Amino acid sequence: MDTGTTEKPAAADEFAPSIGESTDPAELAAILERQRRAFLAEGPPTAAVRRERIDRLLAMVLDNIDDFVEAMSRDFGTRSRTGTMFAEIMGMLSPIENTRKHTARWMRPAKPTPLGRLTGLRTEVHPSPLGVVGIIGPWNFPLQLVVVPAASAFAAGNRVMIKMSEVTAHTAELTRKLAATYFDPAELAVVTGGPDVGAAFTRLPLDHLFFTGSTGVGRHVQRAAAENLVPVTLELGGKNPVVVAADADLDRAADRIARARMVNGGQVCVCPDYVFVPADRIDRFVDTLRGKLREMFPAILANDDYTASVDTANYERIVGLVEDARARGAHIEELAPEGETLPDATARKIAPTLIRDVTDDMPIANEEIFGPVLLIRPYTDLDTVIDHINARPSPLVAYWYGPDRADFRRFVANTRSGGIARNEFAIHMYSEEAPFGGVGHSGMGAYHGKTGFDTFSHMRTVASTDLPFAVTSIAAPPFGRRTAKFVEIALRTAHRRNRRRVRGKLPGAAPTA
């Protein structure tokens, strides 16, 4: 399907992936140097140039939709064509169009000190391009999660290097070949390869490094980037909790949670991982959840809409977590359709699986599952739920199903997560102007909208004065009696003001009357 009006630079079959090709780690420094020289020679690009680069980035995707869908289908083994076009490609359109629309406005300097201008001081804050931005993409959404941050980096005036995931090798190679036809490598370079290339990429002296992936790999990325003091944005994951409120519409909650768990076969960083349900409603919740999942998937093995585990390693990891939980006493319910034997190693498909009676010593209780498996826990008191969540690494998102009442507000105020979504999957990501990012183990930094532009910019303060006298005459020696008296009076005044504020509030202080 070719939905664009731009003519393709070459026939689609010329971009059939040649799996096994890899960027030589020694080439990475040369690519970076070429981009940096081009960046310095050009200077901050105009808004028109930035928008034109965003346009070509989007054209690279929209001109080649069929090729990308086919590549991702080959990478996953089974992945819905419609699902890929909807989540992977349509999902990037709105944020990119929003970024393009506002690029010129975001570029304008801010003037934060009108009072200073009245005294002869002028201050502006200029969003300055960083230079060369490195982006390391994941395998679960291998195209969208490099293209969207690249558009933000272009809007901020940068050059971009992308390291594609080697797990989705067909998509990686296709992107590399297409990028070379839509961009000069001094603007955008896409590199491919395995862990050796990835490790070398993280050690480059980039101006910013943006990584989407697991928390474990994120630690290595940050450690490597620190050697060159490269600032990083880490978009990670975590075990995302769900709370079904005591007064929630149980049928609606079960329906929506079932669908959310199965997006991309559960291989989404914002998928629900475990659900707290009121103990007196848990049986009905599980019955409804079971019925909904069976209705959604009357067949699995021959169902092209049922996304497979991306590779054998991930398939075996999920199966291993489930079997370990079974051996430790958890109640496992695998919802395989009648006549189908699952899990199936050849198809890399695992039936929707509900797990109860989970204990904290089980690895599945602590590791992000990233598959079609959902843990279900009973609760009787919301404080217990809050304590459970807070005792663990902060998730990327926490979900609440139920009305917006005091208990929901208490949950929001007393838990820590990258975002909160109530009554629907991933809606905290929908707003084009709301930041998206994690906290703690689920990430650092954020992007989307203006936040993405700011992430890839340096907010550079430019101050000036035409005053006929030197402001530094107050601070530089020799100091006269007037300066000494001014400093003493100013500090005594500040001390008295602060003493009034803290009177009776310091540890051990007598209470005020």
Side-chain angles (χ1 to χ4, degrees):
M1 181 178 70
D2 183 355
T3 59
T5 58
T6 305
E7 183 178 346
K8 289 188 180 183
D13 58 4
E14 290 184 32
F15 304 119
S18 176
I19 302 306
E21 292 188 24
S22 174
T23 306
D24 187 334
E27 297 176 26
L28 297 177
I31 296 170
L32 172 58
E33 179 59 25
R34 178 176 180 179
Q35 290 204 355
R36 182 159 286 142
R37 284 199 308 267
F39 170 78
L40 294 173
E42 178 190 39
T46 65
V49 168
R50 300 180 194 204
R51 287 193 294 262
E52 191 267 340
R53 287 172 180 162
I54 294 171
D55 291 343
R56 279 187 280 139
L57 183 67
L58 201 52
M60 182 185 77
V61 176
L62 297 179
D63 291 350
N64 300 282
I65 289 177
D66 279 342
D67 301 327
F68 277 116
V69 170
E70 173 61 22
M72 281 180 262
S73 179
R74 293 176 69 186
D75 283 327
F76 278 84
T78 302
R79 199 187 200 212
S80 165
R81 172 183 172 84
T82 301
T84 294
M85 289 192 295
F86 179 80
E88 190 90 45
I89 298 175
M90 277 188 63
M92 71 173 68
L93 299 183
S94 183
I96 291 177
E97 290 292 345
N98 179 68
T99 294
R100 185 192 188 282
K101 176 181 177 181
H102 293 105
T103 292
R105 179 166 62 87
W106 294 341
M107 291 170 60
R108 295 172 190 159
K111 299 179 180 180
T113 55
L115 182 61
R117 290 197 295 274
L118 294 177
T119 60
L121 298 177
R122 295 186 300 279
T123 304
E124 294 182 345
V125 179
H126 292 241
S128 177
L130 294 173
V132 180
V133 169
I135 297 172
I136 301 177
W139 53 258
N140 60 330
F141 291 99
L143 186 63
Q144 183 195 135
L145 294 182
V146 296
V147 170
V148 172
S152 294
F154 278 148
N158 301 286
R159 308 298 173 111
V160 178
M161 294 177 64
I162 295 175
K163 165 63 175 72
M164 302 291 290
S165 172
E166 66 273 17
V167 175
T168 44
H170 294 86
T171 306
E173 186 61 17
L174 176 62
T175 307
R176 184 184 71 83
K177 290 186 175 182
L178 285 171
T181 70
Y182 284 80
F183 289 92
D184 186 299
E187 297 173 298
L188 172 69
V190 175
V191 304
T192 61
D196 57 332
V197 177
F201 195 94
T202 62
R203 292 193 295 267
L204 291 172
L206 296 154
D207 297 296
H208 194 97
L209 183 57
F210 184 98
F211 169 80
T212 303
S214 71
T215 301
V217 177
R219 291 191 182 95
H220 294 295
V221 169
Q222 185 175 12
R223 189 179 299 117
E227 291 297 320
N228 288 302
L229 297 180
V230 175
V232 297
T233 298
L234 300 178
E235 296 295 338
L236 308 177
K239 291 187 75 67
N240 302 315
V242 183
V243 177
V244 177
D247 53 352
D249 182 324
L250 209 63
D251 292 340
R252 184 171 69 177
D255 177 80
R256 294 184 181 183
I257 292 167
R259 294 179 186 279
R261 175 72 271 189
M262 298 308 299
V263 173
N264 202 37
Q267 298 167 111
V268 186
C269 59
V270 292
C271 270
D273 201 287
Y274 62 105
V275 187
F276 280 104
V277 184
D280 60 351
R281 308 181 80 193
I282 195 167
D283 290 336
R284 182 183 161 199
F285 176 82
V286 171
D287 288 344
T288 306
L289 194 66
R290 181 191 304 115
K292 176 52 61 177
L293 288 166
R294 290 197 182 281
E295 177 187 326
M296 289 168 63
F297 303 110
I300 291 177
L301 287 174
N303 186 348
D304 289 341
D305 280 346
Y306 198 96
T307 304
S309 295
V310 70
D311 61 12
T312 299
N314 280 280
Y315 167 84
E316 292 178 347
R317 181 187 58 81
I318 297 166
V319 171
L321 287 172
V322 173
E323 292 308 311
D324 174 85
R326 191 194 308 273
R328 294 172 187 263
H331 179 266
I332 312 292
E333 185 174 4
E334 296 166 308
L335 304 178
E338 185 176 352
E340 295 189 18
T341 301
L342 293 166
D344 185 286
T346 301
R348 300 196 306 274
K349 289 188 174 183
I350 300 165
T353 302
L354 308 180
I355 303 184
R356 298 170 68 174
D357 302 324
V358 175
T359 55
D360 290 343
D361 64 317
M362 300 176 184
I364 203 167
N366 303 291
E367 182 177 329
E368 185 177 7
I369 299 170
F370 231 62
V373 179
L374 191 65
L375 311 185
I376 303 166
R377 293 176 175 268
Y379 79 95
T380 55
D381 179 68
L382 182 58
D383 287 335
T384 303
V385 173
I386 291 172
D387 290 344
H388 178 96
I389 294 170
N390 289 338
R392 286 154 177 78
S394 300
L396 186 55
V397 57
Y399 291 98
W400 179 276
Y401 283 82
D404 184 354
R405 304 196 203 280
D407 52 357
F408 170 63
R409 292 293 157 180
R410 182 153 58 99
F411 177 75
V412 172
N414 293 287
T415 57
R416 188 168 178 253
S417 62
I420 296 276
R422 186 175 68 87
N423 285 340
E424 187 55 275
F425 171 66
I427 53 174
H428 64 301
M429 300 172 60
Y430 287 9
S431 172
E432 295 163 351
E433 287 306 313
F436 172 75
V439 62
H441 284 223
S442 59
M444 64 175 66
Y447 71 126
H448 288 188
K450 176 68 159 52
T451 303
F453 178 89
D454 291 347
T455 289
F456 297 118
S457 301
H458 169 59
M459 297 303 164
R460 190 182 191 191
T461 298
V462 179
S464 62
T465 179
D466 292 312
L467 291 173
F469 60 88
V471 178
T472 50
S473 62
I474 300 173
F479 299 107
R481 284 183 297 175
R482 287 185 178 180
T483 300
K485 193 67 174 176
F486 167 75
V487 170
E488 289 176 6
I489 292 172
L491 290 177
R492 280 200 303 269
T493 301
H495 187 204
R496 285 196 297 268
R497 181 174 61 242
N498 183 255
R499 192 166 53 194
R500 288 194 299 270
R501 292 171 178 168
V502 301
R503 185 178 296 132
K505 300 176 182 178
L506 297 176
T512 57

